[in-house]
Amino acid sequence: MKRADVIEFYARLAEADPHPETELEFVNPYTLVVAVALSAQATDIGVNKATRALFREVDTPKKMVALGLDELKRHIKTIGLFNTKAKNVIALSQMLIDDYGGEVPNDRAALERLPGVGRKTANVVLNVAFGAETFAVDTHIFRVGNRTGLARGKTPLAVELKLDKATPQPFRLHAHHWLILHGRYVCKARTPECWRCIVSDLCAYKPKTPPPKSKSATPVSPEALADPTPGEP
């Protein structure tokens, strides 16, 4: 995608949704780490349902360790892979207590040391909690980057590095949320809804998906396309 098209691409997404936010619910950087770690291979809605009561009771690493593994499992048993995730949450909470005074570090390498926290989770935490210009490449961003031509790559890291290079100011802070939401609600995996996409004329994907016969082909903004069952974060 040419630089002028990249700028226009982001400008349209920004105009439609000036202040995009994560759909995961959290109360502080620690609960954000937990929520993102739990969201792997799960929906934001599913994670939020499981963590609302949990985060009312537990919002620090010390409280999580005191809660204990069995009780944590009870809270998150509706989330896929909850046994492994619960062990990771207890372990990362203990590491935060032992190594970082109970605080979430504002450092990628330190975050990636935490059990159950990979590069994607670290990027989300750095962006959402600390305002870093990071690109958390999940399945949605990987798809959108490759399909549109914005940032093509064979691995999430390759797409991330290309997005980092291609995305200009003033779009860098919110870019990863715009792309996630666009992939979640418009540029869907099985059938991209090109007929109502506000950036379809800038996109390299062909052939464009035509509108259903019963639907209007008028493009609408991403926030108007809320899906009751969103995908990954």
Side-chain angles (χ1 to χ4, degrees):
M1 193 179 292
K2 295 180 181 178
R3 181 172 176 78
D5 290 340
V6 171
I7 293 172
E8 179 64 18
F9 182 96
Y10 280 121
R12 292 183 194 179
L13 296 180
E15 183 178 6
D17 188 6
H19 303 290
E21 297 180 350
T22 179
E23 294 182 326
L24 285 171
E25 298 173 6
F26 66 99
V27 297
N28 56 25
Y30 169 68
T31 56
L32 176 64
V33 172
V34 173
V36 180
L38 294 176
S39 71
Q41 301 181 50
T43 66
D44 286 1
I45 284 181
V47 172
N48 291 339
K49 286 180 178 178
T51 58
R52 283 188 191 118
L54 174 66
F55 291 162
R56 285 195 294 268
E57 179 181 352
V58 175
D59 59 2
T60 68
K62 287 185 178 180
K63 290 180 182 179
M64 188 66 77
V65 171
L67 181 71
L69 181 61
D70 290 341
E71 190 64 13
L72 175 57
K73 286 182 179 180
R74 185 183 68 80
H75 276 281
I76 66 170
K77 63 184 179 181
T78 57
I79 300 175
L81 305 175
F82 74 93
N83 283 307
T84 298
K85 290 176 180 179
K87 291 177 182 178
N88 284 336
V89 168
I90 295 296
L92 73 83
S93 300
Q94 189 64 59
M95 183 177 288
L96 287 173
I97 295 168
D98 294 342
D99 297 352
Y100 302 104
E103 299 295 324
V104 175
N106 181 6
D107 177 82
R108 183 195 304 281
L111 287 168
E112 290 189 37
R113 286 187 61 230
L114 300 174
V117 175
R119 187 176 181 91
K120 184 189 77 173
T121 297
N123 278 338
V124 172
V125 174
L126 290 170
N127 178 266
V128 175
F130 300 111
E133 295 172 352
T134 56
F135 302 86
V137 178
D138 67 349
T139 57
H140 298 301
I141 291 187
F142 186 79
R143 179 175 66 255
V144 171
N146 278 285
R147 183 181 277 167
T148 63
L150 178 65
R152 287 190 169 124
K154 293 183 178 180
T155 65
L157 180 58
V159 171
E160 177 188 336
L161 295 177
K162 287 191 176 182
L163 283 172
D164 191 24
K165 183 177 180 180
T167 304
Q169 294 290 8
F171 307 113
R172 293 177 60 81
L173 179 61
H174 294 312
H176 114 263
H177 280 120
W178 284 320
L179 296 175
I180 286 173
L181 295 172
H182 190 65
R184 181 174 291 168
Y185 297 126
V186 183
C187 196
K188 299 177 181 180
R190 292 187 179 180
T191 307
E193 298 182 357
C194 307
W195 54 276
R196 59 175 179 172
C197 173
I198 60 175
V199 292
S200 68
D201 59 309
L202 304 172
C203 170
Y205 179 73
K206 298 185 188 318
K208 306 296 186 189
T209 306
K213 291 181 180 180
S214 61
K215 302 275 188 175
S216 167
T218 303
V220 296
S221 61
E223 71 271 23
L225 306 176
D227 189 318
T229 54
E232 290 186 63

